[in-house]
């Protein structure tokens, strides 16, 4: 019974990290109809930036923020220089360019920082909290993940639902041509979408790294989990992606705990295929149904 | 005031507009008529920057706008209501209206929205509903209302009567006339439904295969049965 | 190799035009043997015989290097049929190579069947599994399919570590490299033998794909790629065509995996990471999507770029791990640049150069 509870809590905590990556995928998908396969590699790269800052004695939270700023700029540059060009080609061009960015960033990280595993500081203890000798199944770091993800999600909800900028971004995503006719600079909104997704990815990377360690491929699996989560959510819905990510986190944690950790990745494939076969438009998507 | 001089545009090798010239004065409506494929929609899309012009000049109130980006043209006070209504279906009615003036700093959004609700009463009770719940006529109202939010001086309308009941169409036409007179708008009204367009227009232009074949007073076009028969099919 | 020149994308009209230009005055192979299958077969036999004698003059290392190219040629050829001919994408062909490789290893360990039969069986097993995966793939489009195949690439190697007793775990399975049969003589090295096997397998695969692409099925594949709705209206079963293409493409990747197992004499999960799948996609795009020669260029890039990077890092006394990453960075950058600037890849660039040269030549001829 305690094993089950522990697995559920670990799963939820991992799920929150997948959620941030998944929401990054959703942000970009909504505005450009591109699945950003480089999302996780971008997150990894920003995490390395944070790690090297911390190595140079920059305080954790300052490094955290600087890495987010770096990610924001990196996302804008990738959108402006590469993805906008790729969008002029076939849909497959965008997929291939995103894969190109993925492989280039992983390789660059390997060249710059070496291909070996390294630690990434968690800043908060990874040891379970005990009260009166009873383990609670969660560590201070889990609480930190929860708070960080919550703050990030609330900030995104606020931006999209309650600000002019968010309204323009949503309009640009849903109806780019109409938005341009209304005087909205759609190109800038797309760039901003990539920048925000990249920044969210950096947060995910820095939250994931203390557990999975940091190495150039460390986020490959997270990308697949987050993609599956986003698909469960219909690719269009940030809330759907969050729920999907929690489902993924918990399912994989249970698979790993009861069937063996080697089955997590194959398990993700099976879940993805089952979801895609049952409801290709996702389980939480309402919009897709109206589109013929 | 909208002045178009020798405007040409192509889709690949196909010349869709050939040296089109026309003028819409302040507080006037010019109807652009013609068969399917005559270049009516292309004309509007070129004016609003969605299609690049290969040649010619366009000015609104003295500003050159030809081949500027659609965003910049919109910011010059040109509002284009595209065919098929062009509302953002996933967003609410009120959000759609707010989008209309989103780039404009000096506009009182609240009172402007209230004014649009007075123009189009059916919209107000649905303010918080997603736009895809609206009927065709209501979507047209929303699209026009949204275009008015940014206080444009030139309004480009693409087939506002498409798919609407005759009564709704005539209401919208009457309202256009009123807006034009009250606000001093210059309206370029593209219509397949020539009869209802001519009923409110001051001038009429007939396009055929991308060229202006008739440019005259709307009443004259309406009364010239030969011309009507030849180009407008009624 | 004459087979290289078959451009998979070439429309019938283009072929006609070429025959008109070239066949008019010159004595050409196309005029001597008008049936394409026979022509290809003849060229193939010539190629194998030439290589057979050539391989004897190459060093063991050169032969080994050459035999490394083969597996990737096949896997990229499979991807080329899938993406170039049918418009389905896959970021998971490394997983299909893995299935072929383990099939071959298990068959070699547990049976006494001859090598040719084992290679054929490994191909068929992967084709069958590919057919099942194709049923899933046929219901997915663009990025959805890309994501699903990426998940496959991530999942398959872990199956091997999970079921250690069967698949060998992290260490994988050891297999015996094939030894050359006695009638080839004592001087015939195992490396030379592997290289010859490679060339034979590649030639067979090329002939198979060339005929497939020129057949009615090939036309159906392209019709589905260009416009699914139009294809359906023309009476083509879109789903069946896509499943079939996925199966064939998988079979080619499986055959490549089988060859890789032979060349490496080992099958382990580390060799079939997500990076392999992505590298295959890179190889395809860099070589040229949809052309058979492109598969050769792409595979050569996949073998020679890492080796070149290793030499480079050794020269500058850099860490060994960096070499692999330099190669990946080159793939990544080439991948992006080629998609954005030269979608035809290396083969496209070569064809353009050839066009320029022959165009100029013709001009000069008319002037004179």
């Amino acid at each position: 019974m305690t094993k089950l509870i522990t697995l559920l809590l670990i799963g939820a905590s991992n799920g929150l990290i997948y959620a941030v990556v998944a929401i990054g995928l959703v942000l970009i998908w909504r505005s450009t109809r591109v699945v950003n396969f480089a999302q996780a590699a971008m997150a990894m790269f920003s995490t390395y930036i944070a790690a090297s800052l911390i190595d140079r004695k920059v305080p954790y939270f300052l490094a955290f923020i600087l890495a987010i700023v770096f990610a924001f700029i990196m996302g804008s540059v990738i959108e402006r220089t590469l993805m906008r060009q790729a969008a002029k080609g076939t849909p497959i061009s965008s997929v291939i360019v995103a894969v190109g960015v993925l492989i280039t960033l992983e390789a660059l990280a390997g060249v710059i920082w070496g291909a070996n595993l390294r630690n990434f500081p968690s800043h908060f203890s990874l040891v379970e909290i005990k009260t009166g000798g009873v383990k609670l199944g969660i560590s201070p770091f889990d609480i930190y993940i929860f708070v960080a993800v919550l703050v990030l999600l609330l900030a995104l909800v606020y931006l999209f639902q309650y600000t002019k900028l968010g309204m323009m971004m949503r309009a640009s995503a849903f109806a780019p041509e109409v938005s341009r006719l209304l005087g909205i600079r759609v190109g800038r909104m797309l760039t901003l979408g990539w920048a925000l997704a990249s920044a969210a990815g950096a947060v995910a990377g820095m939250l994931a790294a203390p557990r999975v360690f940091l190495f150039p491929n460390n986020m490959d699996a997270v990308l697949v989990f987050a993609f599956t989560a986003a698909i469960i959510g219909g690719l269009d819905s940030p809330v759907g992606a969050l729920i999907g990510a929690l489902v993924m986190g918990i399912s994989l944690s249970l698979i790993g705990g009861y069937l063996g950790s080697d089955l997590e990745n194959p398990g993700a494939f099976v879940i993805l295929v089952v979801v895609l076969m049952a409801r290709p438009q996702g389980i939480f998507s309402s919009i897709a149904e109206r589109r013929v | 005031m909208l002045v178009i001089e020798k405007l040409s545009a192509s889709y690949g090798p196909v010349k869709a507009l050939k040296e089109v010239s026309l003028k819409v004065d302040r507080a006037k409506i010019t109807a652009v008529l013609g068969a399917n494929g005559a270049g009516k929609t292309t004309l509007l899309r070129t004016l609003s920057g969605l299609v690049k012009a290969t040649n010619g000049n366009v000015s609104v109130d003295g500003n050159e706008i030809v081949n500027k980006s659609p965003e910049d043209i919109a910011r010059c006070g040109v509002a284009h209501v595209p065919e098929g209504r062009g509302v953002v279906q996933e967003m609410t009615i009120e959000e759609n209206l707010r989008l209309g003036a989103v780039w404009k700093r000096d506009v009182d959004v609240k009172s402007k929205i209230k004014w649009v609700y007075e123009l189009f009463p059916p919209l107000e009770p649905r303010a918080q509903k997603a736009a895809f719940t609206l009927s065709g006529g209501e979507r047209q109202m929303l699209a026009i209302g949204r275009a008015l939010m940014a206080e444009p001086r030139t309004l480009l309308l693409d087939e506002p009567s498409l798919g609407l009941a005759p009564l709704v169409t005539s209401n919208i036409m009457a309202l256009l006339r009123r807006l034009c007179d009250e606000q001093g708008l210059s309206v370029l009204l593209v219509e397949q439904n020539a009869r209802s367009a001519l009923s409110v227009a001051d001038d009429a232009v007939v396009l055929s295969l991308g060229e202006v074949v008739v440019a005259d007073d709307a009443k004259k076009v309406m009364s010239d049965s030969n011309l009507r028969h030849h180009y407008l099919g009624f | 190799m004459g087979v290289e020149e078959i451009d998979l994308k070439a429309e019938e009209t283009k072929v006609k035009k070429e025959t008109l230009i070239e066949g008019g005055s010159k004595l050409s192979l196309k005029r001597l043997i008008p049936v394409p299958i026979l022509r290809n077969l003849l060229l193939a036999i010539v190629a194998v015989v030439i290589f057979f004698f050539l391989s004897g003059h190459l060093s063991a290392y050169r032969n080994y290097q050459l035999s490394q190219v083969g597996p990737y040629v096949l896997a990229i050829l499979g991807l080329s049929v899938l993406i170039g001919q049918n418009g389905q994408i896959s970021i998971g062909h490394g997983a299909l190579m893995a299935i072929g490789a383990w099939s071959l290893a298990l068959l070699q360990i547990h049976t006494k069947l001859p090598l040719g039969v084992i290679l054929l069986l490994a191909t068929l097993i992967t084709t069958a599994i590919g057919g099942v995966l194709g049923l899933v793939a046929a219901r997915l489009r663009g990025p959805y399919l890309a994501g699903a195949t990426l998940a496959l690439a991530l999942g398959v190697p872990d199956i091997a570590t999970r079921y250690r007793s069967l698949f060998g775990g992290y260490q994988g399975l050891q297999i015996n490299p094939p030894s050359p049969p006695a009638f080839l003589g004592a001087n015939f090295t195992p490396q030379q033998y592997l290289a010859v096997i490679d060339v034979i397998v590649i030639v067979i695969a090329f002939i198979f794909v060339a005929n497939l692409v020129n057949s009615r099925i090939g036309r159906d594949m392209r019709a589905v790629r260009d416009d699914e709705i139009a294809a359906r209206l023309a009476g083509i079963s879109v789903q069946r065509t896509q499943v079939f293409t996925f199966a064939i493409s998988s079979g080619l990747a499986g055959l490549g995996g089988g060859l890789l197992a032979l060349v490496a004499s080992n099958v382990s999960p580390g060799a079939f990471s997500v990076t392999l799948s992505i590298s295959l996609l890179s190889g395809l795009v860099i070589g040229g999507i949809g052309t058979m020669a492109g598969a050769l260029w792409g595979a050569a890039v996949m073998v020679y770029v890492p080796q070149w990077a290793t030499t480079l890092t050794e020269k500058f006394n850099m860490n060994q791990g960096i070499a692999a990453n330099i190669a990946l960075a080159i793939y990544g950058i080439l991948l992006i640049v080629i998609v954005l600037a030269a979608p035809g890849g290396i083969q496209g660039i070569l064809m353009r150069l050839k066009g320029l040269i022959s165009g100029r030549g013709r001009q000069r001829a008319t002037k004179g």
Side-chain angles (χ1 to χ4, degrees), chain A residues 196-255:
Chain A
L196 284 177
S198 173
V203 173
M206 289 182 282
L207 294 179
R211 288 232 183 94
V212 298
F213 296 103
L214 188 54
F215 57 99
N217 294 94
N218 80 329
M219 298 286 278
D220 281 358
V222 173
L223 174 71
V224 170
F225 303 159
F227 175 74
T228 311
I231 293 282
I232 293 175
L235 264 183
D236 253 320
S237 146
V239 178
L242 173 66
I243 298 170
L246 288 173
V247 169
M248 278 307 282
I250 290 169
S251 313
L252 294 176
S253 168
L254 293 177
I255 290 173

Side-chain angles (χ1 to χ4, degrees), chain A residues 161 164 167-168 170-171 174-175 177-178 180-186 287 290-291, chain B residues 45 48 50 70-72 74-75 86 88-91 95 98-99 102-103 132 146:
Chain A
Q161 296 299 329
K164 255 187 174 183
M167 197 166 73
M168 290 195 275
R170 277 190 294 145
F174 290 133
E177 191 169 273
V178 169
R180 298 187 76 187
L181 292 178
L182 296 175
I184 298 168
R185 302 204 188 279
V186 172
I287 296 161
R290 276 190 305 102
R291 294 213 181 95
Chain B
R45 290 174 68 84
S48 60
L50 292 172
E71 299 87 306
D72 286 329
R75 287 167 190 232
V88 185
Q89 306 204 16
E90 291 83 352
M91 296 173 79
E95 282 175 329
R98 291 159 66 92
L99 276 177
V102 78
W103 56 269
F132 69 79
R146 188 183 58 190

Side-chain angles (χ1 to χ4, degrees), chain B residues 10-28:
Chain B
S10 341
Y11 286 118
V14 183
K15 276 205 158 187
L17 288 183
K18 294 168 202 157
E19 306 207 329
V20 170
S21 300
L22 61 89
K23 206 172 95 176
V24 188
D25 281 324
R26 206 178 113 85
K28 294 283 187 218

Side-chain angles (χ1 to χ4, degrees), chain A residues 250-265:
Chain A
I250 290 169
S251 313
L252 294 176
S253 168
L254 293 177
I255 290 173
Y258 289 112
L259 304 174
S261 59
D262 289 331
L263 286 182
E264 282 182 19
N265 294 343

Side-chain angles (χ1 to χ4, degrees), chain C residues 92-145:
Chain C
H93 261 46
L96 295 162
M97 285 186 87
I99 292 168
W102 261 285
S103 305
L104 180 122
L106 290 170
L107 285 165
Q108 206 217 36
I109 292 167
H110 298 290
T111 69
K112 292 210 158 34
L113 293 167
L115 182 63
V117 177
I118 289 182
L119 271 172
L120 183 67
L121 283 175
T123 311
L124 292 178
I125 291 170
T126 322
T127 308
I129 293 176
V132 176
L133 292 168
L135 285 171
V136 175
R139 293 187 54 184
L140 304 176
R141 297 293 172 268
Y144 293 89
L145 181 56

